[in-house]
Amino acid sequence: MGRCPTGTAPGNFPRGRKRGLQTALQKEIIREIETLLGNQSIADLDFEAVEMAARRQSLRLAARALEQRLNTDTSDHVGPQLPCPCGGSAQYHGRHEKTFESVLGSLHLQRAYYHCEQCESGFCPRDRALGLESFSLTPGVLRMTASAAALLSFEESSGLLHELAGAEVSAKQVERAAEALGAEIAVDEHQQVEKMGEVAPTMYLGMDGTGVPMRTQEIADRAGKQADGSAKTREAKLVTIWTAESRDEQGQPVRDPGSITYSAAIESAATLDTSPHLSDFAARVQREASRRGFSEAQRPVVLGDGSNWIWNSASELFPQATQILDRFHAKEHLSQVGKIIYGDSPEGKPWIQARYEELDEGCLKSMVQALHGHAGQYKEARECVRYIWNNRRRMRYSKFHKQGFCTSTGVVEAGCKVVIGTRLKRAGMHWTVKGANRIIALRCSKLSGRFEDFWERRSDQRKTAA
Ligand SMILES: [Zn+2]
């Protein structure tokens, strides 16, 4: 154990002494900076080198001061034994040192250690009290790790934490910490279903699915879209809710900034007809809807593409909602069919354009007529006719536009890209269902602006438990 810079005895720090420690630290930091600058002229400074070194030195000094302050306080030794969560009794085994990665760099902390023979495990009351139980990371570094891993691969997160914060967290540590937090967030999301925020007069709910690349053992025996009938991915399903009360210059509804929230997971949207329970995904949609007050809106709207599970979930959960086939998806569909019929020939583009115009006007009859001309030759044209027929009530676009509804948003499509694609569908990534769902939970919480609330609840719970 090092000597106290102010020369005070270990133990209690009276107010005056604490201020003495502060002044000593300040003086030492100033001295370090003077040493760094030396006698060279300011104009000749390598400023980046100086600022980086100054930060490093200041943090190192602060870390030593904090370490010393914590290590001289032995109040976490509260007697020869403590009750263990298993019901047994844990015996005091002296002070154990452990290195934690903090925002100040490494901290070597000695804490009272209690060991229980009955369950053969040990714990440090101080780690619980200070929230140091997560992978040798302090709460500050844990939060940074979560922020990075919500956006970037584990490897990239590790690099960014090093570069921006000087924190040494290995890719494996990032992975473990982010997945553990994601698991906590997933549990928290199930519990937090009370309404947050305002209910708008018109509210939009979109659903969509996208494939996540899986590790081989996760998809064995599953049917899929590969040539041999096997699968490489599992479908993540997403629900997103937003509002569009703002209007552009033409008076068209525009998505309100900051109004989008997401919830997603790789899970089933199907249940047996005889089951009284909602499917896992339908239950997720219901929780998100209740957080947003979707069903309380005067005009709830559900948007999606042609998948049956979307409309089944919508009809089951929100029979009062207006169902709209997202024009964005419908156009994608028409353009695919046009490309199959015409290949690269110049007639393709105008044909697709004409269908787009019919779609925007809601002229389903002309669309179907145009497709019928190719139905004998192309099964895709036949399927497209069926798609339009099945969704005809959801494609009355001229009526929806008169009512002032958004019908082509890209929000749902973008949601899948933003929440799943950019983080989970990158080259070389292969997931387990469990791992993917944890990272998706973390990402949804961040992107929906809910992470701070979760973090606060988590800290409160830890305090109460300790
Ligand atoms: Zn025990």
Side-chain angles (χ1 to χ4, degrees):
M1 202 179 299
R3 287 226 323 273
C4 256
T6 50
T8 49
N12 294 329
F13 282 79
R15 269 195 100 73
R17 296 257 172 94
K18 227 187 247 174
R19 208 165 292 132
L21 183 78
Q22 264 173 24
T23 329
L25 186 59
Q26 274 168 10
K27 276 187 187 153
E28 226 173 316
I29 289 174
I30 291 167
R31 203 162 44 235
E32 288 281 351
I33 289 173
E34 287 301 337
T35 314
L36 277 173
L37 293 174
N39 293 326
Q40 58 186 323
S41 86
I42 297 291
D44 295 336
L45 280 185
D46 178 346
F47 199 83
E48 186 184 350
V50 170
E51 62 179 334
M52 293 307 282
R55 179 173 76 170
R56 211 164 38 237
Q57 303 283 58
S58 314
L59 293 183
R60 194 181 49 81
L61 288 170
R64 294 299 84 82
L66 183 60
E67 227 170 53
Q68 209 142 33
R69 177 69 182 86
L70 293 177
N71 287 342
T72 47
D73 181 325
T74 56
S75 59
D76 55 335
H77 176 206
V78 287
Q81 54 198 33
L82 271 179
C84 177
C86 80
S89 174
Q91 307 297 316
Y92 178 64
H93 272 248
R95 302 192 72 74
H96 281 205
E97 183 168 298
K98 184 172 169 181
T99 304
F100 295 89
E101 191 61 15
S102 78
V103 300
L104 306 174
S106 298
L107 288 179
H108 312 285
L109 300 182
Q110 291 131 17
R111 311 97 68 233
Y113 176 74
Y114 286 82
H115 188 265
C116 167
E117 290 201 339
Q118 190 169 307
C119 66
E120 292 183 338
S121 64
F123 58 90
C124 294
R126 178 158 292 166
D127 291 1
R128 290 181 180 173
L130 299 183
L132 296 173
E133 288 172 297
S134 310
F135 317 97
S136 309
L137 305 177
T138 61
V141 170
L142 185 61
R143 178 205 281 265
M144 289 180 184
T145 302
S147 293
L151 298 172
L152 301 166
S153 75
F154 304 128
E155 199 72 48
E156 289 167 327
S157 299
S158 170
L160 197 70
L161 286 164
H162 168 78
E163 189 181 341
L164 297 187
E168 302 307 325
V169 189
S170 71
K172 199 70 208 167
Q173 268 178 305
V174 173
E175 178 175 353
R176 289 202 188 115
E179 289 195 358
L181 272 184
E184 286 183 39
I185 289 171
V187 171
D188 184 69
E189 183 271 316
H190 276 75
Q191 294 161 351
Q192 305 297 322
V193 291
E194 73 273 23
K195 194 169 71 191
M196 320 169 182
E198 300 278 298
V199 175
T202 307
M203 292 191 84
Y204 297 90
L205 183 150
M207 292 182 252
D208 204 359
T210 185
V212 175
M214 286 286 130
R215 290 193 191 161
T216 327
Q217 71 269 24
E218 296 282 312
I219 35 180
D221 312 326
R222 291 187 71 92
K225 293 175 186 164
Q226 298 300 303
D228 63 355
S230 70
K232 282 206 156 150
T233 61
R234 292 279 308 265
E235 187 179 49
K237 296 182 180 70
L238 171 101
V239 54
T240 171
I241 298 183
W242 71 97
T243 63
E245 296 299 307
S246 324
R247 295 289 177 270
D248 67 9
E249 284 153 14
Q250 282 88 47
Q252 298 301 311
V254 178
R255 174 161 47 81
D256 301 317
S259 72
I260 306 182
T261 57
Y262 305 101
S263 187
I266 300 171
E267 63 193 3
S268 175
T271 47
L272 296 173
D273 286 344
T274 47
S275 167
H277 300 292
L278 291 175
S279 70
D280 288 344
F281 182 71
R284 173 176 303 281
V285 173
Q286 195 171 53
R287 292 194 299 275
E288 188 61 22
S290 88
R291 281 189 287 268
R292 296 297 306 267
F294 176 74
S295 300
E296 294 170 40
Q298 287 160 23
R299 305 198 309 166
V301 178
V302 176
L303 278 145
D305 67 4
S307 305
N308 281 333
W309 60 265
I310 293 177
W311 304 116
N312 290 341
S313 308
S315 306
E316 182 179 20
L317 297 170
F318 318 113
Q320 80 285 19
T322 304
Q323 296 185 356
I324 300 178
L325 183 82
D326 198 328
R327 225 156 19 98
F328 190 92
H329 277 289
K331 283 188 175 170
E332 259 186 351
H333 203 97
L334 284 168
S335 135
Q336 277 163 11
V337 175
K339 280 174 194 153
I340 287 165
I341 296 173
Y342 290 100
D344 291 332
S345 91
E347 294 158 278
K349 265 198 177 151
W351 186 89
I352 293 171
Q353 199 52 44
R355 303 294 84 74
Y356 281 1
E357 280 160 29
E358 288 160 0
L359 183 78
D360 291 343
E361 301 296 322
C363 299
L364 305 188
K365 261 190 197 150
S366 334
M367 264 164 60
V368 169
Q369 268 166 11
L371 285 160
H372 266 310
H374 304 278
Q377 206 178 342
Y378 296 98
K379 80 169 187 342
E380 288 82 3
R382 291 195 293 279
E383 281 165 4
C384 194
V385 169
R386 195 156 49 238
Y387 170 84
I388 295 170
W389 174 255
N390 289 340
N391 289 294
R392 63 194 182 283
R393 295 180 61 77
R394 306 183 185 109
M395 295 174 81
R396 292 172 294 177
Y397 296 119
S398 63
K399 180 187 163 204
F400 296 145
H401 291 153
K402 281 189 199 114
Q403 293 175 292
F405 288 134
C406 283
T407 59
S408 176
T409 62
V411 173
V412 188
E413 180 84 0
C416 272
K417 289 210 178 89
V418 169
V419 176
I420 315 286
T422 53
R423 177 65 184 88
L424 287 98
K425 292 168 78 162
R426 292 176 45 192
M429 284 187 177
H430 299 283
W431 298 87
T432 62
V433 171
K434 212 188 222 176
N437 278 344
R438 289 171 171 183
I439 297 304
I440 292 171
L442 170 65
R443 202 164 158 76
C444 286
S445 152
K446 278 275 177 189
L447 292 171
S448 306
R450 291 173 179 160
F451 184 82
E452 291 306 314
D453 286 345
F454 157 75
W455 192 254
E456 212 169 283
R457 277 193 292 279
R458 183 180 190 272
S459 308
D460 290 349
Q461 279 164 13
R462 307 234 139 188
K463 288 231 163 64
T464 320

